[in-house]
Amino acid sequence: MDLTYASPFFHFVLLLTFLSMLLSSTTTLASGFTIKEATVQDLQLAFQKNQLTSRHLVEFYLNQINIQNPVVRGVLEVNPDALAQADAADKERREKAPGSYALLGSVVPRDAGVVTKLRKAGAIILGKATLSEWSHYRSAAAPSGWSARGGQGKNPYTLGFPCGSSSGSAISVAANLVTVSLGTETDGSILCPSNFNSVVGIKPTVGLTSRAGVVPISPRQDTIGPICRTVSDAAYVLETIAGIDTVDKATIEASKYIPKGGYAQFLKKDGLRGKRLGVVRLFYNFGNETFMHETFKLRLKTLRQRGAVLVDILKIDDIDDISIAQSEIIALNFEFKLSLNAYLKDLIASPVKSLAGVIHFNKKHSKLEKLDEYGQDLMLAAEKTNGIGKVEEQALLNMTRWSENGFEKVMKRNKLDAVVTPFSSFSSVLAIGGYPGVSVPAGYEKGIPFGICFGGLKGSEPKLIEIAYSFEQATLIRKPPPLRKL
Ligand SMILES: *[C@@H]1O[C@H](CO)[C@@H](O)[C@H](O)[C@H]1NC(C)=O
Ligand SMILES: *[C@@H]1O[C@H](CO)[C@@H](O)[C@H](O)[C@H]1NC(C)=O
């Protein structure tokens, strides 16, 4: 199967409206403030100036969800407490109670680690986003962005392919149903929907953000990151969610990558100056290459004009995407079974207790769930595995070798700050080594958005943010999609 195209693996997603976030059916308030397309910084300023209340903000988004979600299906569930939380935030702001986190009282015991951090920072959880069912780890045949409960998520620009698996997160921020969102990536699930829905996605170094409480595929590859309309919003969200969570041990080791003073300091307009970027001319087998090619070249020219040094990377030793895909799927199959079983066992209450239970549940509900149509081949293959045998060990060794002798060597030999690729076509290389990547809007071809992706070594988020922000500010390509309604 084509890991990069058909089934970016992904997980759940939460939609967040930052710092208590207006309105009614118009987007401009009596105060003159416009919520549509507002950034986190715009909102904070508007709160300070009393131009905006959290209630207005949440009402605006709920209204947009009512209008647009029946078409685009980016939101699975709205948080029933969102308005109450907005009122609490407004009250707190009015009383300016120092250090009192009124919102903390509403934290449920099993919030995911990243959600806890967001709530503490004052975010209101607006709801859950739709995604490819089971992060696209049930059936290779199921369409990207489809789930039995959420229906088919649609790209608000084209009403077509949204890419997955964190499709709903990208759809929802693109269509202004929320301020910012989170997605999960195992291979491509943040980068690909960001690419297709013309938004910014950061796939952090594995372990930089806690995976605790998130339905897993692979502890070795899974990572949670922001999907937002701008690089600066994504940097603020990353700053909020990165850090140690003792429930996810990988965050302890990775915390060494977190820069003192956070990520916002890297939002520099001249961030491309002097950066060495490797242009990867492999992994182009994603969608229609020819139509991309000319525009990608133009974007490379922009990078050069802004002071980056481009180094052509024609080949990365040992790697081709077909052999990556084979080893990766061997590893993900056994990792999915082990980690999902552990996750389900840990739940206080659940109708299913194991992968075998999920498969049985799916069979029983096959009519309802279109199972006859899509099957559950990925789950069946995972269930057949039995821990780490010879083949699995070989697959893991393969990926370590490719990462160390391939990507890391190329980066070091050429003294690169990052690589640059069209689309999310490089996601598997970043996935198997736990490396970070950022997708930024790069254009529209016949109305279909596409992005440019920057990837780097572990912990290179500061550089990637500098590069991505500088590129975004040089191009300012993103345009909001048309309003979608029935
Ligand atoms: C790719 O795009 C070009 C230009 O738009 C078009 O002529 C060609 O048919 C497309 N190829 C495929 C395989 O879709
Ligand atoms: C390991 O990689 C080699 C190619 O380098 C490939 O032929 C082999 O099938 C891979 N093994 C596994 C178990 O994925």
Side-chain angles (χ1 to χ4, degrees):
M1 75 196 280
D2 181 342
L3 291 181
T4 51
Y5 190 74
S7 58
F9 299 117
F10 211 76
H11 300 234
F12 92 122
V13 181
L14 289 152
L15 302 165
L16 311 156
T17 76
F18 234 87
L19 290 175
S20 12
M21 309 198 176
L22 102 208
L23 155 99
S24 40
S25 50
T26 65
T27 63
T28 303
L29 296 181
S31 64
F33 181 77
T34 304
I35 296 177
K36 191 180 164 200
E37 293 287 296
T39 65
V40 171
Q41 275 177 306
D42 295 337
L43 296 179
Q44 281 172 331
L45 202 63
F47 287 135
Q48 269 168 31
K49 292 191 184 159
N50 289 324
Q51 292 175 321
L52 176 67
T53 63
S54 297
R55 171 162 274 269
H56 275 136
L57 187 64
V58 169
E59 284 177 350
F60 170 81
Y61 289 129
L62 294 178
N63 189 51
Q64 288 299 308
I65 291 169
N66 274 339
I67 296 170
Q68 300 201 72
N69 205 51
V71 183
V72 298
R73 293 179 185 274
V75 177
L76 183 64
E77 232 175 68
V78 166
N79 175 7
D81 294 333
L83 278 173
Q85 286 174 11
D87 290 340
D90 286 333
K91 183 162 180 279
E92 193 186 357
R93 208 178 297 109
R94 276 196 308 272
E95 294 168 356
K96 292 210 173 68
S100 114
Y101 288 117
L103 290 181
L104 278 182
S106 63
V107 173
V108 294
R110 289 188 299 121
D111 258 358
V114 287
V115 175
T116 306
K117 285 185 170 17
L118 281 161
R119 286 195 202 257
K120 274 192 191 164
I124 294 173
I125 308 301
L126 191 63
K128 288 183 187 166
T130 55
L131 77 170
S132 308
E133 191 164 276
W134 291 100
S135 310
H136 222 147
Y137 219 86
R138 179 178 118 180
S139 152
S144 207
W146 175 86
S147 69
R149 236 190 104 202
Q152 177 64 55
K154 291 191 178 154
N155 182 322
Y157 289 88
T158 60
L159 294 182
F161 187 59
C163 203
S165 64
S166 288
S167 42
S169 306
I171 293 167
S172 301
V173 284
N176 274 277
L177 306 184
V178 70
T179 311
V180 296
S181 74
L182 294 186
T184 317
E185 172 146 340
T186 305
D187 184 340
S189 287
I190 289 174
L191 297 175
C192 187
S194 300
N195 169 85
F196 270 93
N197 295 282
S198 204
V199 289
V200 175
I202 300 182
K203 177 232 176 207
T205 303
V206 170
L208 195 69
T209 53
S210 169
R211 288 85 48 86
V214 179
V215 178
I217 292 178
S218 158
R220 195 178 41 78
Q221 289 186 203
D222 295 350
T223 182
I224 317 283
I227 301 183
C228 304
R229 289 183 290 269
T230 65
V231 177
S232 79
D233 279 0
Y236 284 118
V237 173
L238 182 64
E239 183 159 317
T240 308
I241 62 175
I244 293 178
D245 172 1
T246 49
V247 187
D248 179 358
K249 300 286 182 235
T251 58
I252 298 169
E253 165 78 10
S255 64
K256 66 181 180 214
Y257 296 128
I258 301 175
K260 267 213 180 67
Y263 291 99
Q265 60 183 309
F266 301 103
L267 300 167
K268 295 182 191 157
K269 268 198 170 152
D270 67 347
L272 277 165
R273 190 152 307 286
K275 291 286 189 309
R276 291 177 61 83
L277 302 180
V279 182
V280 181
R281 297 189 192 266
L282 293 165
F283 306 101
Y284 270 31
N285 62 345
F286 193 110
N288 188 332
E289 303 163 24
T290 42
F291 94 108
M292 256 298 300
H293 204 64
E294 288 311 307
T295 321
F296 183 58
K297 280 201 283 198
L298 284 177
R299 300 299 174 255
L300 293 180
K301 204 170 145 193
T302 304
L303 295 171
R304 228 183 264 116
Q305 283 165 347
R306 294 280 154 160
V309 177
L310 301 190
V311 180
D312 234 308
I313 304 302
L314 295 170
K315 187 172 171 299
I316 296 181
D317 287 347
D318 289 349
I319 298 191
D320 67 66
D321 48 358
I322 293 164
S323 57
I324 289 188
Q326 282 165 350
S327 297
E328 190 182 4
I329 197 92
I330 289 168
L332 294 182
N333 274 342
F334 88 81
E335 290 169 335
F336 179 57
K337 180 175 175 182
L338 292 179
S339 53
L340 184 68
N341 283 347
Y343 173 89
L344 292 172
K345 231 182 173 168
D346 199 37
L347 293 179
I348 294 164
S350 166
V352 288
K353 295 278 182 221
S354 65
L355 176 58
V358 173
I359 290 170
H360 181 71
F361 179 98
N362 285 344
K363 269 194 193 127
K364 247 174 61 189
H365 295 86
S366 60
K367 285 258 146 37
L368 180 72
E369 293 222 351
K370 285 204 187 178
L371 197 70
D372 300 332
E373 211 176 314
Y374 302 139
Q376 48 181 340
D377 56 320
L378 294 174
M379 284 190 163
L380 291 168
E383 180 57 22
K384 277 202 199 117
T385 63
N386 193 14
I388 307 187
K390 262 213 167 82
V391 175
E392 286 76 17
E393 204 168 297
Q394 192 60 50
L396 293 172
L397 283 173
N398 267 358
M399 292 189 286
T400 307
R401 196 184 70 234
W402 291 326
S403 297
E404 287 172 1
N405 293 344
F407 183 58
E408 296 202 6
K409 266 205 183 136
V410 161
M411 292 292 293
K412 285 172 188 160
R413 194 192 303 137
N414 295 287
K415 300 191 170 61
L416 299 179
D417 295 298
V419 293
V420 53
T421 72
F423 300 120
S424 49
S425 53
F426 202 58
S427 72
S428 294
V429 176
L430 301 177
I432 64 169
Y435 306 115
V438 181
S439 181
V440 188
Y444 303 87
E445 291 272 357
K446 298 192 170 146
I448 304 172
F450 69 87
I452 195 166
C453 178
F454 303 101
L457 295 175
K458 285 184 187 169
S460 64
E461 284 82 358
K463 280 181 189 176
L464 296 180
I465 288 170
E466 283 184 347
I467 293 165
Y469 183 71
S470 182
F471 174 78
E472 176 197 55
Q473 296 302 309
T475 51
L476 292 175
I477 280 168
R478 180 178 178 278
K479 291 182 199 71
L483 183 85
R484 298 297 185 178
K485 50 185 177 188
L486 286 177

